[in-house]
């Protein structure tokens, strides 16, 4: 099983550019989430989805959009990148009913210059 | 408002000794508490969890203790091994929809 797959692994953007971080899972999990990890801040929730067609904001949603058209995919869009969005981004999925927690992708390291 | 806190950014422990990582929380509504381990350039991986109705859960070398009155949980690793060197995050669930993470503790095991 591939688990949770994130692409790309690394990306450099110029301020104002847009891009989409891709996330796909093959475990038929209903719940998917996006987190960003910054030094000294832990992982902070950006957006999450409890099923296809349903999304909600997390702790730090500003500057990011998401959609969930299928169970498998949960892309994160940056409409106009800013240096403050330089971070490592993790996508996660889980069933929501088990206690073993979420499965995470390997992360996307994004630098905005 | 940081609902889950890990006040020690780093911890060094001799190989073979016990490692104790601590975590405090403020939201008494959390249902489950989890520990994740993260190596550089990898995503976090689940380590161990505990329900809010229990006070201890053990899995091999790893034991998690929960003190609800103090809103405190800890992860004990014994004996510590070099492969345990990583960043450890505690996290909490409320309503099974989203995880709230602490800021992480970098554990270094000294051979």
């Amino acid at each position: 099983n591939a688990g949770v797959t994130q692409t790309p692994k690394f990306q450099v953007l110029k301020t104002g550019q847009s891009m989409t971080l891709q996330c796909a899972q093959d475990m038929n999990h209903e719940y998917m989430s996006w987190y960003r990890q910054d030094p000294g801040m832990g992982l902070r929730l950006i957006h999450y989805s409890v099923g296809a067609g349903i999304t909600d904001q997390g702790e730090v949603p500003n500057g990011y959009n998401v959609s969930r058209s299928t169970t498998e995919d949960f892309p994160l869009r940056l409409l106009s990148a800013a240096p403050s969005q330089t971070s490592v981004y993790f996508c996660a999925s889980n069933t929501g009913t088990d206690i073993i927690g979420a499965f995470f992708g390997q992360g996307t390291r994004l630098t905005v210059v | 408002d940081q609902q889950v806190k890990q006040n020690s950014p780093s911890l060094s422990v001799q190989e073979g000794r016990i490692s104790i990582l601590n975590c405090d929380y403020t939201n008494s509504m959390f249902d489950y508490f989890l520990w994740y381990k993260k190596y550089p350039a990898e995503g976090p991986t689940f380590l161990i969890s505990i329900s809010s109705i229990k006070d201890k859960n053990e899995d091999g070398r790893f034991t998690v203790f929960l003190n609800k009155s103090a809103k405190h949980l800890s992860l004990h690793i014994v004996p510590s091994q070099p492969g345990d060197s990583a960043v450890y995050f505690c996290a909490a669930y409320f309503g099974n929809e989203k995880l709230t993470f602490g800021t992480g503790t970098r554990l270094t095991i000294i051979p």
Side-chain angles (χ1 to χ4, degrees):
Chain A
N1 283 343
V4 179
T5 303
Q6 287 183 239
T7 55
K9 286 192 169 59
F10 301 95
Q11 183 71 48
V12 178
L13 286 180
K14 293 184 179 179
T15 298
Q17 286 185 316
S18 62
M19 81 160 294
T20 299
L21 308 186
Q22 301 291 345
C23 176
Q25 52 96 4
D26 61 0
M27 297 172 283
N28 202 32
H29 286 169
E30 287 297 315
Y31 293 178
M32 296 185 74
S33 312
W34 276 101
Y35 294 84
R36 59 179 287 174
Q37 184 192 8
D38 301 293
M41 302 291 288
L43 282 84
R44 293 182 292 168
L45 182 64
I46 304 171
H47 285 284
Y48 66 102
S49 169
V50 300
I54 306 170
T55 63
D56 206 346
Q57 295 182 351
E59 183 183 354
V60 287
N62 292 340
Y64 307 95
N65 279 351
V66 292
S67 60
R68 184 96 180 271
S69 56
T70 67
T71 299
E72 295 77 20
D73 299 299
F74 191 42
L76 178 72
R77 282 183 286 276
L78 285 73
L79 297 178
S80 179
S84 61
Q85 294 178 305
T86 294
S87 187
V88 181
Y89 292 85
F90 291 100
C91 178
S93 75
N94 63 286
T95 65
T97 57
D98 59 60
I99 63 170
I100 67 169
F103 292 87
F104 283 80
Q106 292 207 319
T108 296
R109 184 174 293 276
L110 176 67
T111 302
V112 182
V113 298
Chain B
D1 177 29
Q2 191 75 29
Q3 295 189 64
V4 179
K5 302 177 186 179
Q6 294 176 258
N7 293 318
S8 298
S10 63
L11 175 68
S12 295
V13 175
Q14 289 280 351
E15 181 179 358
R17 305 294 291 269
I18 184 171
S19 296
I20 300 176
L21 295 94
N22 294 304
C23 180
D24 298 296
Y25 62 95
T26 58
N27 189 345
S28 59
M29 300 296 289
F30 286 134
D31 299 312
Y32 287 106
F33 301 89
L34 304 92
W35 285 93
Y36 280 83
K37 178 179 181 179
K38 186 182 178 308
Y39 292 118
E42 294 184 10
T45 55
F46 169 77
L47 190 58
I48 192 170
S49 66
I50 187 167
S51 163
S52 60
I53 63 172
K54 296 188 175 182
D55 55 18
K56 177 182 175 181
N57 187 29
E58 190 171 355
D59 184 2
R61 297 187 296 113
F62 303 93
T63 303
V64 57
F65 295 92
L66 176 62
N67 182 334
K68 282 188 292 184
S69 61
K71 294 190 175 66
H72 177 83
L73 67 156
S74 61
L75 174 69
H76 293 211
I77 306 173
V78 59
S80 299
Q81 299 174 354
D84 296 330
S85 294
V87 176
Y88 289 78
F89 292 97
C90 68
Y93 263 126
F94 171 54
N96 281 340
E97 288 186 354
K98 48 186 176 177
L99 286 168
T100 300
F101 281 85
T103 53
T105 297
R106 182 178 302 277
L107 175 66
T108 302
I109 305 302
I110 304 166

